[in-house]
Amino acid sequence: MAEKRLHPRSATARRTAGITLDHAAPVYDWLAPLMTLGSEHRLHRRVVARLALDRPAAVLDVGCGTGTLTRQIYDALPADAPRRVCGVDAAEAMIAVARKKAGDRPGLAFDAALAEELPYSDASFDRALSTFFFHHLNFDLKIKALAEIWRALRPGGQAAILDVDVPYTRFGALCAWSGYWLFHQAEIAENIRGKLRAALDASPWRGHWNIASRHSGYLSLFMLVKPQENKP
Ligand SMILES: C[S@@+](CC[C@H](N)C(=O)[O-])C[C@H]1O[C@@H](n2cnc3c(N)ncnc32)[C@H](O)[C@@H]1O
């Protein structure tokens, strides 16, 4: 029997088994701070700080949603050099909101595309990031998206991933499992059970990632470093 989806999905979103959010695009910027109990901006700042953007860099934001953090990344880069920042999301409605919010920022682009089939050349970015995205993918897609990030980053490039992970406090476990019960999203339960870590180990990133910091009792900031070509 064909799977029933409650919400309409754009043509790009229909091409993935990821949980896409076309329907949420008009309200996402109101809801996201509520769902992170007001810590969204603080967490985003952590990611920006980790990516060390004080030098010119081409940056890719995977599962960028309405592009709030993508824009901040752009603004954090040195203004006296050309900037290239790309946000990608499968939900065309999210990309439409992100483009509207982008304003006049040359070099900031948003593309409706799949994380598991990134529309960029090999080694074309210095940095990549993704926030609150991997709990929208099943295990197989997690591995594919991670492999695509590896491919799109140049050797020596770095990626930051902030997402739901194994809870480390009781309150964190309550928050994480509440998210699962509320959205009935198996992919959230997978992250809580450590499947994002397992996906990293099943991807080209095996041996090249660590958990840089933990937040809110159930989130982890993963840092991934692609080795230089002469260092496997
Ligand atoms: C919770 S939002 C996160 C947005 C943003 N990164 C943030 O921190 O607010 C997750 C996003 O992943 C997108 N998504 C789901 N599956 C995807 C896929 N296979 N490829 C690209 N984007 C996808 C959804 O459409 C949604 O906008």
Side-chain angles (χ1 to χ4, degrees), residues 132-139 142 161-167 176-177 185-199 214 218-220 222:
F132 303 111
F133 163 63
F134 272 92
H135 68 275
H136 284 240
L137 302 182
N138 63 35
F139 187 62
K142 281 181 182 40
I161 295 177
L162 176 72
D163 222 302
V164 177
D165 190 27
V166 182
W177 282 113
Q185 199 168 306
E187 294 82 350
I188 296 178
E190 285 190 352
N191 277 39
I192 295 171
R193 295 190 172 114
K195 286 287 200 171
L196 180 49
R197 300 174 186 200
R214 305 221 61 201
Y218 67 102
L219 298 170
S220 290
F222 297 88

Side-chain angles (χ1 to χ4, degrees), residues 13 16-22 28-29 32 35 40 44 61-69 88-92 94 113-116 130-137 141:
T16 181
I19 308 295
T20 51
L21 296 183
D22 277 296
Y28 187 81
D29 286 347
M35 290 176 37
E40 186 201 21
H44 279 176
D61 184 0
V62 182
C64 65
T66 59
T68 305
L69 180 54
V88 64
D89 200 286
E92 292 171 27
M94 285 289 200
L114 308 187
E116 60 270 32
S130 113
T131 57
F132 303 111
F133 163 63
F134 272 92
H135 68 275
H136 284 240
L137 302 182
L141 283 183

Side-chain angles (χ1 to χ4, degrees), residues 39-40 49-50 62-63 66 77 81 97-98 102 118 157 162-163 178 189 198 229:
S39 56
E40 186 201 21
R50 275 278 162 189
V62 182
T66 59
L77 285 164
V97 173
L118 288 174
L162 176 72
D163 222 302
S178 301
E229 264 152 346

